[in-house]
Amino acid sequence: MKLTQAFFNRDTCQVAQELLGKYLVRVHNGIPLVVRISETEAYIGRIDKACHAYNYRRTQRTETLFAPPGTAYIYLIYGMYHCLNFVTEPEGEPCAVLIRGGQARGNQDFLMRNRYGKESTQLTSYQKKNFLNGPGKLCKALALTREQNGLSLLGEELFLCDRLEEIGLATPEEDRLPLDIQVSKRIGIDYAEEAVDFLWRYYIE
């Protein structure tokens, strides 16, 4: 079944860990693009200087972080890369999980065309290896931009599920194995003072 609002309305670090192995489905032009989530980072505004809404800072950009849990927060970095986040915890608490990476699981050729503008047969081994291992790469493959900022994760355009059978696909045997979750410091937040050392990045190999 699809993940419900109750899934997101919990401790952000717990949600970040439990999102690993879940399937993110983006229906684009009638085609379900599917990615298995493999890397996440937690951001908790009330205590986290790496969060855009640290200390409850409200701006036009951060307003989505105060939305109900289960809302997509998408922002632009360096003027060119989009990053997808899932709002967590009760409405009014600016918390979210950044989706840093994934593995293609449905309509891979469409994902690759979005990402590279090429068919899979035209890609180098390097391109295939580095296909979805970054938040900007993942958003490009899923055709996600600021236009989807504020979109509910409980609808039909963008949602999450536990098993691929729920959307008419077969779950690979490798996805049924127990997850070996790794924990580390987050990436690219050198400005965040003590928050640099928070062990809020979670990933699976």
Side-chain angles (χ1 to χ4, degrees), residues 112-125:
M112 288 184 170
R113 199 174 302 146
N114 287 341
R115 169 86 166 84
Y116 294 115
K118 300 177 182 179
E119 304 296 329
S120 58
T121 55
Q122 299 174 297
L123 301 180
T124 65
S125 57

Side-chain angles (χ1 to χ4, degrees), residues 69-179:
T71 300
Y73 170 49
I74 303 177
Y75 60 86
L76 191 67
I77 58 172
Y78 310 129
M80 57 192 302
Y81 301 117
H82 290 91
C83 295
L84 171 64
N85 303 256
F86 301 154
V87 176
T88 55
E89 303 199 21
E91 183 174 358
E93 282 292 330
C95 303
V97 175
L98 170 65
I99 310 304
R100 283 201 58 89
Q103 304 155 339
R105 286 296 184 267
N107 288 308
Q108 180 168 304
D109 282 343
F110 286 93
L111 289 164
M112 288 184 170
R113 199 174 302 146
N114 287 341
R115 169 86 166 84
Y116 294 115
K118 300 177 182 179
E119 304 296 329
S120 58
T121 55
Q122 299 174 297
L123 301 180
T124 65
S125 57
Y126 178 85
Q127 287 174 319
K128 291 177 181 178
K129 180 180 178 181
N130 294 280
F131 178 25
L132 297 172
N133 60 346
K137 299 173 184 179
L138 185 136
C139 278
K140 189 170 184 180
L142 292 171
L144 291 171
T145 68
R146 283 280 299 168
E147 289 187 14
Q148 286 75 46
N149 180 52
L151 190 67
S152 173
L153 298 168
L154 313 176
E156 299 300 322
E157 184 178 346
L158 189 66
F159 60 89
L160 295 104
C161 57
D162 285 306
R163 297 167 60 249
L164 287 179
E165 284 79 4
E166 296 162 23
I167 57 170
L169 300 175
T171 299
E173 285 303 315
E174 64 202 81
D175 291 1
R176 301 180 190 275
L177 299 174
L179 298 179

Side-chain angles (χ1 to χ4, degrees), residues 3 14 20 39 42 63 68-69 96 106 127 134 140 142 144-145 147 150 154 169 184 187 198 203:
L3 300 190
Q14 183 178 357
L20 296 174
E39 184 178 355
E63 194 62 33
Q127 287 174 319
K140 189 170 184 180
L142 292 171
L144 291 171
T145 68
E147 289 187 14
L154 313 176
L169 300 175
S184 75
I187 296 172
F198 294 173
Y203 61 96

